[in-house]
Amino acid sequence: MTVTIVGSQLGDEGKGGIVDVYGDAADVVVRYQGGDNAGHTVVHDGHEYKLSLVPSGAVRGKVGVLGNGCVVNPATLFEELDALRERSLDPDVRVAERAHVILPYHRTLDGLEEDVKSDEDLAAGTTGRGIGPTYEDKAGRRGVRVGDLLDPETLRARLEYAVPRKRALVEDVYDLDVGDDVDADAFDVEAIYERYREFGRRLADEGMTVDCGRFLAERREAGDRIMFEGAQGTAIDIDHGIYPYVTSSNPTAGAAAVGSGLGPTVVGDGEVVGIVKAYLSRVGTGPLPTELGSVDGQTPPDGGRPGESDLAEFIREEGGEYGTVTGRPRRVGWLDVPMLRHAARVNGFTGLAVNHLDVLAGLDEVQVGHSYTLDGEELLTMPTTTEKWADCEANFRRFEGWPDVEWSTVAEDGYDAIPENGRAYLEYVAEEVGAPIYAVGVGPGREETVVVETPF
Ligand code: GDP
Ligand code: IMO
Ligand code: MG
């Protein structure tokens, strides 16, 4: 039996917290895509852990696996592991030998391409972690994989092929000078080789690398429970999201199979829990039909609702809506229900965890974008192009607000203790999305979660 945790919106729905709640019953927690662009927060015993690569289960002593679908920056991985060890944890993390490695030039190229695109409003507002360029090289068959770090000859051969091409990109396409404009070491075969061989040695010494699919299959046969921890969210999936303002991987549930080496029947035989933030938040650019207020540098020039900036400010402050990875203020908006219907179909949700219900408490009225109007027609799910999405006018429904209460008591007392108007809101969401409520987040800590169903 497996449980797959998937973001149903634009990332930062509180996946880390739900992995923590449900992951207690799991033995192995697997990331199947993305890299250190993720920022997952776990609050345990009053301590906050912000994890970008180490799977959230590691905080509670579960085996964490970075699957073959991930892109791994070994520098970030070891920094994060060292930081957790300094905090007296002993994380057991395995890395798929088939996962691709983020190299220094990927980060540089991520920044250069975003700079150029920003002139034409095409920048995605990436996290700058080199995610896109690494997946490009994976698809272009010029990537370096974790297994290559263990094999000096292959590592050197891969770098000797790739590095001159990256250097040519900088010089001939971006018209910049390696050394003057960008860090020379990021484009130097020898410098990269030395540094990444050292990472390879450390991975080998600590026995961290695995054949992911085989490792997981063996754990399953031994009776272990496996949880898949999605990063990012469905609306920034490269296939199903708001292209091109997306990440370069598939956060959606189907990728749990491809990105881990366990078959789709294994994933499909388990539960797929969609994580929903009770409103919307977004770090990055592109349209957002239910946006409240606006954020400079992210909201498109004619987007947002500048007249509602007080409301946006309230939600941003109450919800602490500042990026975990980049610290950028997040854009916020009302819940976008067509986005959720789309996510439910793409992922096949068997249940929902709705987080941040507490953040909206105290408002007189809460709204949701129930549908869109596009070219005079009502749409119940997202259109296929982002340009059409930008033209969608949200049709709002109004709900009476709920009071701010002692949420930890509510979590202890259970679902019926949630204020009535809050329950009406949740029941509307479950009905529209077609999946039952499994959990309700009423605060950042694990004990601030109302657990209705336990999937394991
Ligand atoms: P993730 O990327 O999906 O794991 O989410 P992030 O960790 O980036 O962002 C979620 C933030 O909201 C974190 O600071 C969490 O501690 C916090 N959080 C999660 N669930 C809740 C909730 O139900 N209520 C409140 N107030 N905060 C929450
Ligand atoms: P978690 O797992 C929110 C966004 C970036 C940018 C776009 C592409 O914490 O939910 P990338 O660096 O991936 O090439 O950036 O995707 N993005 C996220 N937004 N949460 C995340 O992760 C994100 N990871 C990437 O802001 O718009
Ligand atoms: Mg996050």
Side-chain angles (χ1 to χ4, degrees), residues 104-339:
Y105 50 77
H106 291 127
R107 275 204 183 197
T108 306
L109 290 167
D110 192 353
L112 294 182
E113 176 138 24
E114 283 280 288
D115 272 354
V116 173
K117 278 182 157 181
S118 66
D119 297 340
E120 296 169 40
D121 282 335
L122 278 173
T126 73
T127 59
R129 298 295 193 265
I131 306 296
T134 307
Y135 279 116
E136 268 183 57
D137 280 353
K138 171 180 175 174
R141 297 170 302 227
R142 67 183 90 81
V144 171
R145 304 201 298 178
V146 167
D148 301 336
L149 303 182
L150 310 184
D151 173 357
E153 272 174 36
T154 308
L155 176 61
R156 188 176 286 281
R158 296 271 190 273
L159 291 173
E160 279 174 357
Y161 178 79
V163 173
R165 279 163 181 77
K166 301 298 159 183
R167 192 178 258 275
L169 255 181
V170 172
E171 292 171 345
D172 303 340
V173 175
Y174 292 105
D175 207 16
L176 295 172
D177 191 71
V178 173
D180 282 347
D181 301 311
V182 300
D183 177 22
D185 278 355
F187 294 83
D188 182 273
V189 172
E190 209 45 50
I192 302 173
Y193 175 84
E194 286 303 328
R195 189 155 172 240
Y196 282 72
R197 258 305 284 150
E198 193 46 44
F199 288 136
R201 281 191 206 100
R202 187 166 169 192
L203 287 167
D205 287 349
E206 297 190 21
M208 289 173 69
T209 68
V210 289
D211 173 343
C212 184
R214 202 173 81 190
F215 176 79
L216 295 176
E218 286 170 2
R219 300 292 303 226
R220 247 171 59 85
E221 272 161 33
D224 277 2
R225 291 164 160 181
I226 295 174
M227 170 166 268
F228 294 104
E229 176 176 357
Q232 288 82 51
T234 303
I236 54 173
D237 179 288
I238 190 158
D239 284 274
H240 302 287
I242 50 170
Y243 195 89
Y245 307 101
V246 292
T247 192
S248 299
S249 70
N250 293 114
T252 43
V258 179
S260 72
L262 288 179
T265 44
V266 172
V267 177
D269 194 35
E271 299 248 17
V272 179
V273 182
I275 313 304
V276 178
K277 187 173 261 186
Y279 49 92
L280 218 55
S281 74
R282 161 81 173 143
V283 263
T285 49
L288 203 58
T290 62
E291 183 165 11
L292 294 166
S294 64
V295 173
D296 271 357
Q298 294 186 59
T299 306
D302 52 353
R305 287 182 176 68
E308 303 277 17
S309 43
D310 286 354
L311 194 48
E313 202 56 27
F314 172 87
I315 295 175
R316 186 172 302 116
E317 293 310 314
E318 291 294 313
E321 295 297 351
Y322 294 89
T324 311
V325 175
T326 58
R328 292 179 285 184
R330 294 177 183 151
R331 300 161 68 189
V332 297
W334 293 126
L335 193 69
D336 185 316
V337 182
M339 184 187 284

